[in-house]
Amino acid sequence: MRIQHPQGLVAHRVEVCKGGLFLSCEEPFPPLFTRLSLTLRLDGEDFTCEGEVVRHVDTAHARTWGSTAGIGVQLQPTPPRLRELLSRPHAPEDAVTSP
């Protein structure tokens, strides 16, 4: 996965869900409603899309919930083929890789 953001953003892990992604990354996070340009590789296909930061999970909350710190990104709009792949019921979390 490639992410374009002026301050740089490195995702350590990506979780795929129907409408977007959860990027495990370190603080400081981009502000809510920040637009990100993303290039995703899923099932051998590359997808260039835009996403918006819609959630922050800081280190303290992640520790409390037993999860990882990071950001929720809603894809806007999701390209039809990508939406099809994301809607598969058993798509593995690690299906998104670096192109």
Side-chain angles (χ1 to χ4, degrees), residues 11-87:
H12 305 291
R13 181 176 165 189
V14 178
E15 295 178 37
V16 178
C17 57
K18 189 173 182 177
L21 310 167
F22 183 80
L23 308 178
S24 295
C25 55
E26 297 176 14
E27 299 176 64
F29 302 136
L32 292 174
F33 309 113
T34 297
R35 301 281 298 189
L36 302 174
S37 295
L38 307 164
T39 302
L40 311 173
R41 178 172 288 221
L42 189 62
D43 282 358
E45 295 180 55
D46 288 343
F47 298 93
T48 300
C49 52
E50 297 288 316
E52 184 175 80
V53 177
V54 294
R55 182 174 183 211
H56 289 164
V57 178
D58 62 28
T59 305
H61 283 105
R63 196 175 313 118
T64 300
W65 298 332
S67 63
T68 59
I71 58 174
V73 177
Q74 182 177 354
L75 299 177
Q76 300 185 347
T78 307
R81 175 68 177 139
L82 179 56
R83 186 172 42 248
E84 175 189 332
L85 292 172
L86 293 176
S87 68

